[in-house]
Amino acid sequence: MKYLDKSKDELAKLLEEAMKVYKEYQRQKLSLDMTRGKPCSEQLDLSLPMMDALNSESSYKLSNGLDARNYGGLEGIPELRKMFGEIFDVPAARVIIKDESSLNIMYDTVQFCLQFGTGGYEPWNKQGPVKFICPAPGYDRHFAVTQALGVEMITVPMKEDGPDMDLVEMLVAADESIKGIWCVPKYSNPTGTVYSDKVVDRLAAMKTAAPDFRIFWDNAYFTHFIGESDVPLKNIFPECEKAGNPDRVFMFASTSKITFAGAGISMIISSDKNIEEFKNRIKYQYITPNKVVQLMHYNFLQSKENLNALMKKHAQIMRPKFEMVLNTLEKEFGNSDVLKWTSPKGGYFISVDTLEGCAKRVVQLAKDAGVALTNAGATFPYGNDDKDRNIRLAPSYPPIMELDLAVNVFCVAVKIASIEKLLEKAE
Amino acid sequence: MKYLDKSKDELAKLLEEAMKVYKEYQRQKLSLDMTRGKPCSEQLDLSLPMMDALNSESSYKLSNGLDARNYGGLEGIPELRKMFGEIFDVPAARVIIKDESSLNIMYDTVQFCLQFGTGGYEPWNKQGPVKFICPAPGYDRHFAVTQALGVEMITVPMKEDGPDMDLVEMLVAADESIKGIWCVPKYSNPTGTVYSDKVVDRLAAMKTAAPDFRIFWDNAYFTHFIGESDVPLKNIFPECEKAGNPDRVFMFASTSKITFAGAGISMIISSDKNIEEFKNRIKYQYITPNKVVQLMHYNFLQSKENLNALMKKHAQIMRPKFEMVLNTLEKEFGNSDVLKWTSPKGGYFISVDTLEGCAKRVVQLAKDAGVALTNAGATFPYGNDDKDRNIRLAPSYPPIMELDLAVNVFCVAVKIASIEKLLEKAE
């Protein structure tokens, strides 16, 4: 149904119908949560065998001779460095395995640059204002890190194949105070975008005014397909080397959505020179990551093939949820002119765009009917979605029956907010 | 035997005898390590049952309703906050449980003060030079953190009952740029000192020129007795409150030497206001600590009583090692005038003082006979032991037979270095 060419009376009637449905939902006193990209219990159960992968009878001796239960081994266990080196097609020496939070490594990496500088250049703290490019819609926690650390954010639109590269290239070439860009290059949060080879090449090769410019390459969903198989992402490191920018990229990843969320392992991968620099920072910061957790992960995962098999099981749990949401959106708004959405092949989110000026109202309406959605605006730097259009839907966590209810509430909220907006304009 | 009143000829003869013994050790091609305070395998084995305290059949539901395997719970699991609150006699709300490295929390806490300030004052980074008081001999990793972060270190002597408080009080009252002091208040690294009640009171009450002065209270060995029972340390928090300095102390602790080294859990404890501030920093830095590891620890430890029982078993392993080292020192230098040492009631170290100008030579001689000791000077800021006297002995890690050999090599090295020094003076 097209809403934009409806008469005022028709709209009023549609609103009345929608309100009737909405009030019916309100009467049910729902309490449903679609706010965050959390794995559901069924997904977490997939990795329960990991908890049997180490017990009091196990060997804790690592391949480098260290006892996983004792101090030593700043870089993480060699078993996992090798395995993830193979997965990401980089030498194991360029992989540092840390604890459960890749966000923590990202925060530390930005803080290291601020306090100590990178590549031998002055600490960013001493170089005056520092700016980061933030493709949006994007990941709210990235924006929170940069804001907390006093880094100014420049919003750049996300396109189908990645950030608007014409704009990115223009900005970084012109402004020396732009020191970084946040990227979620695969199954991007929240749009599900996989950066095209062309975008990867341009990011690797672009001229930057700042010699100490860095790409914060958050490969959070590197193997998190929902469909039958994975969509490839071009390896950015060889492109950086070819372009003469070997130290441009800090890559981050974790197993939070592979094994346990916030109880897995995480990593940073970069050039030899950057890894050397990173080790020279962390050797003061801590003594060793938790090698027992790392060994438990290694014993459980073992290989790229096992990891892929595990991700197929995740996909089997995720796929019906995504399909259900997408089918409902299609049924309710398939031929409409008030809602657009992404159909991601991986990741944890569906990104929707309402009519301009409706997102906040939709989230409020959903909330008032007991359905918590991610705050409107959260996907933009400073929480500021100029057009008040974007909402992030997170279908992973709720059981499918609850999700069904939640998305139906969402749909009626979209109808109400859209019709209200159109009526407002008609006046 | 007294060495200082011996004639040149007598000394020459003693040196010859010592060199004979030394060369005999050299011939054995030893490779022994007494450098770090690492628990030994037998100690680590004590906590192996912890690895059975969670398996694929366990419940992962926490008392606050969270799933330990999923996101959420920035402050650590309530079970452990409560337990350590009881152990340290502070409300659970003032305990934040993090991952395996208390050093990491200390580093972050200093970095937060530098980047953001504390107590509402300007970031230390913006206040010009920042200085810390470093009681010495002390813990080399504390000094490394301050040095790495560009904080200037002022060495203050350690006395029998804690730092030289007359000097500390004078310094902090006079200099606004002194923002902190490192303290290991119980079984101090390396001297084994337990701060007296009087020292605790004076630290809590002293007037500081800097309103944002902080005590970094590294309670690393809070329950790590070697003797039959624990030596009490006065709780500093109530004293700070009484003195009108409620926000003065950041306390740190970990289970690295209770369960697994570098694979346990760690914590920060402070005032309500400081904890609020800390939470406002870490909420950008990470999402959750590893709650599975925390739950495993809670299931295993359960209570203060169990923890104490476990520490008794540690003491039973540690005591013979410490006794052996102390007995050997007593046998070789009991009536001598060339070596002094501490007889700690807990902790991981014995601190020895040689004649002035001998410590480096002793460490070198030991090394050349295959016995690695902590570098001379490591226990002082900038590695600078003015008098070149202090050496830290770490008896915990080697099996007792190896330790016996190592300490005998150490003793002969002390004899050689001392006699050489006396002969040098006699010339």
Side-chain angles (χ1 to χ4, degrees):
Chain A
M1 179 163 60
K2 304 289 181 201
Y3 288 78
L4 270 64
D5 49 13
K6 289 268 183 293
S7 73
K8 227 172 124 174
D9 284 352
E10 287 169 315
L11 287 171
K13 183 137 186 289
L14 285 168
L15 183 58
E16 200 181 316
E17 283 166 22
M19 283 306 291
K20 225 162 99 181
V21 179
Y22 180 74
K23 285 195 170 133
E24 190 47 50
Y25 283 123
Q26 274 194 315
R27 224 167 281 133
Q28 296 181 41
K29 307 256 177 242
L30 303 173
S31 175
L32 307 170
D33 193 337
M34 273 177 92
T35 55
R36 307 290 319 174
K38 288 165 73 170
C40 65
S41 300
E42 209 181 337
Q43 287 176 279
L44 298 170
D45 290 347
L46 294 175
S47 292
L48 274 178
M50 185 170 75
M51 299 309 296
D52 303 327
L54 269 186
N55 60 40
S56 60
E57 307 288 315
S58 305
S59 164
Y60 291 81
K61 187 154 181 183
L62 302 171
S63 63
N64 58 2
L66 289 179
D67 184 331
R69 305 166 305 167
N70 216 332
Y71 292 121
L74 189 69
E75 304 93 344
I77 70 171
E79 288 84 348
L80 283 181
R81 299 178 77 196
K82 182 163 174 283
M83 180 182 144
F84 281 101
E86 281 165 15
I87 286 171
F88 291 113
D89 199 15
V90 296
R94 287 169 50 189
V95 182
I96 302 279
I97 310 282
K98 291 198 65 181
D99 294 322
E100 72 286 343
S101 171
S102 59
L103 188 77
N104 198 342
I105 314 185
M106 292 179 229
Y107 179 100
D108 285 349
T109 307
V110 179
Q111 176 67 76
F112 289 154
C113 291
L114 287 165
Q115 187 74 24
F116 306 113
T118 184
Y121 294 91
E122 276 284 285
W124 290 356
N125 269 337
K126 292 193 177 161
Q127 289 193 49
V130 172
K131 300 174 197 154
F132 266 43
I133 292 178
C134 299
Y139 178 36
D140 55 349
R141 305 286 305 230
H142 287 162
F143 306 152
V145 166
T146 22
Q147 190 169 5
L149 288 168
V151 173
E152 196 181 307
M153 294 182 275
I154 304 170
T155 305
V156 157
M158 274 295 280
K159 301 176 76 173
E160 297 266 309
D161 59 349
D164 181 336
M165 283 309 299
D166 291 341
L167 189 51
V168 170
E169 283 170 344
M170 200 189 72
L171 286 164
V172 297
D175 187 348
E176 208 187 335
S177 68
I178 298 179
K179 298 295 189 189
I181 182 171
W182 286 116
C183 295
V184 183
K186 190 163 168 180
Y187 307 137
S188 176
N189 177 350
T191 55
T193 311
V194 180
Y195 287 21
S196 69
D197 290 2
K198 183 81 194 148
V199 165
V200 171
D201 292 345
R202 287 175 76 178
L203 283 165
M206 68 191 179
K207 273 185 107 74
T208 65
D212 49 356
F213 176 90
R214 294 288 179 265
I215 296 173
F216 291 77
W217 197 248
D218 183 3
N219 210 345
Y221 308 103
F222 66 94
T223 180
H224 303 57
F225 54 97
I226 302 168
E228 291 297 334
S229 67
D230 206 5
V231 180
L233 169 72
K234 189 169 189 180
N235 185 353
I236 195 169
F237 291 110
E239 300 313 314
C240 288
E241 283 154 31
K242 272 184 236 161
N245 305 311
D247 305 319
R248 175 164 288 180
V249 173
F250 295 123
M251 187 180 109
F252 310 94
S254 85
T255 66
S256 265
K257 284 154 184 138
I258 294 173
T259 57
F260 295 151
I265 55 103
S266 65
M267 70 203 76
I268 178 170
I269 299 178
S270 195
S271 67
D272 286 318
K273 195 176 154 195
N274 284 346
I275 288 297
E276 200 51 39
E277 180 182 287
F278 188 75
K279 285 201 273 186
N280 276 323
R281 309 282 181 243
I282 59 174
K283 75 181 181 193
Y284 301 109
Q285 194 191 20
Y286 67 92
I287 296 179
T288 171
N290 189 322
K291 297 189 297 297
V292 170
V293 172
Q294 294 191 359
L295 182 59
M296 191 183 282
H297 273 75
Y298 178 70
N299 285 356
F300 174 59
L301 293 172
Q302 294 277 346
S303 69
K304 184 175 175 172
E305 290 65 37
N306 281 0
L307 192 148
N308 199 51
L310 176 59
M311 294 317 291
K312 275 198 178 148
K313 293 183 196 161
H314 277 284
Q316 281 161 14
I317 297 170
M318 294 282 270
R319 203 181 305 136
K321 295 188 175 183
F322 275 74
E323 279 172 357
M324 201 265 287
V325 174
L326 292 169
N327 288 343
T328 305
L329 294 178
E330 183 62 34
K331 194 182 77 189
E332 297 291 338
F333 300 105
N335 282 312
S336 89
D337 41 16
V338 295
L339 196 76
K340 283 194 279 194
W341 59 90
T342 58
S343 297
K345 297 199 160 52
Y348 266 65
F349 305 103
I350 293 165
S351 176
V352 306
D353 280 330
T354 65
L355 291 178
E356 277 193 39
C358 287
K360 282 204 184 92
R361 175 71 177 144
V362 169
V363 172
Q364 186 62 47
L365 282 162
K367 189 181 170 196
D368 293 343
V371 176
L373 300 173
T374 308
N375 280 340
T379 51
F380 283 76
Y382 308 105
N384 182 20
D385 177 6
D386 268 352
K387 298 182 176 161
D388 186 24
R389 294 184 59 179
N390 189 251
I391 299 172
R392 184 181 83 167
L393 300 179
S396 58
Y397 188 67
I400 200 143
M401 298 298 289
E402 291 188 13
L403 186 65
D404 188 22
L405 259 173
V407 71
N408 277 293
V409 171
F410 168 78
C411 286
V412 73
V414 170
K415 282 180 196 168
I416 292 169
S418 306
I419 299 167
E420 282 175 351
K421 182 58 69 182
L422 293 172
L423 282 170
E424 190 185 307
K425 278 190 186 161
E427 267 161 22
Chain B
M1 179 163 59
K2 305 289 182 198
Y3 289 78
L4 270 65
D5 47 15
K6 288 270 184 291
S7 73
K8 228 176 124 176
D9 282 353
E10 287 170 315
L11 288 171
K13 186 141 182 285
L14 286 167
L15 182 59
E16 201 181 314
E17 282 167 22
M19 283 305 292
K20 227 161 101 182
V21 179
Y22 179 73
K23 286 197 170 134
E24 188 49 49
Y25 283 124
Q26 275 195 313
R27 225 166 279 132
Q28 295 182 42
K29 307 257 176 242
L30 304 172
S31 174
L32 307 171
D33 192 336
M34 273 176 90
T35 54
R36 307 290 320 173
K38 289 165 73 170
C40 64
S41 301
E42 211 183 336
Q43 287 177 277
L44 298 169
D45 289 348
L46 295 174
S47 292
L48 273 179
M50 185 169 77
M51 299 308 297
D52 302 326
L54 270 185
N55 60 39
S56 61
E57 306 289 316
S58 306
S59 164
Y60 291 81
K61 188 155 181 184
L62 302 171
S63 63
N64 57 1
L66 289 181
D67 186 329
R69 306 166 304 167
N70 216 332
Y71 292 121
L74 189 67
E75 304 93 345
I77 70 170
E79 289 83 348
L80 283 182
R81 298 178 77 195
K82 183 163 173 285
M83 179 180 143
F84 282 100
E86 280 163 16
I87 286 172
F88 291 111
D89 198 16
V90 296
R94 287 169 50 191
V95 182
I96 303 279
I97 310 281
K98 292 197 64 182
D99 294 320
E100 72 287 340
S101 172
S102 58
L103 187 79
N104 198 343
I105 313 184
M106 293 178 229
Y107 180 101
D108 284 349
T109 308
V110 179
Q111 176 67 75
F112 289 155
C113 292
L114 287 165
Q115 187 74 25
F116 306 113
T118 184
Y121 294 89
E122 275 284 284
W124 291 355
N125 269 338
K126 292 192 178 161
Q127 289 194 49
V130 172
K131 300 173 197 153
F132 267 43
I133 291 177
C134 300
Y139 178 35
D140 55 348
R141 305 287 304 231
H142 286 162
F143 306 150
V145 166
T146 22
Q147 187 169 6
L149 288 168
V151 173
E152 197 181 309
M153 294 183 274
I154 303 171
T155 306
V156 157
M158 274 296 279
K159 301 176 77 173
E160 297 266 311
D161 59 349
D164 180 338
M165 283 307 301
D166 292 342
L167 188 52
V168 169
E169 283 171 346
M170 200 190 71
L171 286 164
V172 297
D175 187 349
E176 208 186 336
S177 67
I178 297 179
K179 297 296 188 190
I181 181 172
W182 286 116
C183 296
V184 183
K186 191 164 168 179
Y187 308 136
S188 174
N189 176 351
T191 56
T193 311
V194 181
Y195 287 20
S196 69
D197 290 2
K198 183 78 194 152
V199 165
V200 170
D201 291 347
R202 287 174 76 177
L203 283 165
M206 67 190 180
K207 274 186 106 75
T208 65
D212 49 356
F213 176 89
R214 293 289 180 264
I215 296 173
F216 291 78
W217 197 247
D218 183 4
N219 210 345
Y221 308 103
F222 66 96
T223 181
H224 302 55
F225 54 98
I226 301 167
E228 290 296 336
S229 67
D230 206 6
V231 180
L233 169 74
K234 190 168 187 180
N235 185 352
I236 196 168
F237 292 109
E239 300 312 314
C240 289
E241 282 154 30
K242 274 185 236 161
N245 304 313
D247 304 319
R248 176 165 288 182
V249 173
F250 295 123
M251 187 179 108
F252 310 94
S254 86
T255 66
S256 267
K257 283 154 185 138
I258 295 173
T259 57
F260 295 151
I265 55 101
S266 64
M267 68 202 76
I268 178 170
I269 298 178
S270 195
S271 67
D272 286 321
K273 195 176 155 198
N274 283 347
I275 289 296
E276 200 51 41
E277 180 182 287
F278 189 76
K279 285 201 272 188
N280 276 323
R281 310 282 181 243
I282 59 174
K283 74 181 182 193
Y284 301 108
Q285 195 191 18
Y286 66 92
I287 296 178
T288 171
N290 189 322
K291 297 190 298 296
V292 170
V293 171
Q294 294 192 359
L295 182 59
M296 193 182 283
H297 272 76
Y298 178 70
N299 286 356
F300 174 58
L301 293 172
Q302 293 275 351
S303 70
K304 185 176 172 170
E305 290 66 37
N306 281 1
L307 192 148
N308 199 50
L310 176 58
M311 294 318 289
K312 276 199 178 146
K313 292 184 197 162
H314 277 283
Q316 281 160 15
I317 298 170
M318 294 281 270
R319 203 181 306 136
K321 294 186 177 186
F322 274 74
E323 279 172 358
M324 202 266 286
V325 174
L326 292 169
N327 288 342
T328 306
L329 294 178
E330 183 61 33
K331 194 182 74 184
E332 299 290 339
F333 299 104
N335 282 311
S336 89
D337 41 15
V338 296
L339 196 75
K340 285 195 275 191
W341 59 90
T342 59
S343 297
K345 296 197 161 56
Y348 265 65
F349 304 103
I350 293 166
S351 176
V352 305
D353 278 332
T354 64
L355 291 178
E356 277 194 38
C358 288
K360 282 204 183 94
R361 175 72 177 145
V362 168
V363 172
Q364 185 63 47
L365 281 163
K367 189 181 170 198
D368 292 344
V371 175
L373 300 172
T374 308
N375 282 338
T379 52
F380 283 75
Y382 307 107
N384 183 19
D385 176 7
D386 268 352
K387 298 183 176 161
D388 187 23
R389 293 185 59 181
N390 189 250
I391 299 171
R392 184 181 83 168
L393 299 180
S396 59
Y397 188 66
I400 199 146
M401 298 297 289
E402 290 187 13
L403 186 64
D404 188 20
L405 259 174
V407 71
N408 276 293
V409 170
F410 169 75
C411 287
V412 72
V414 170
K415 285 181 195 170
I416 293 169
S418 306
I419 300 169
E420 282 174 350
K421 182 57 71 183
L422 292 171
L423 281 170
E424 191 184 305
K425 278 189 186 163
E427 268 161 21

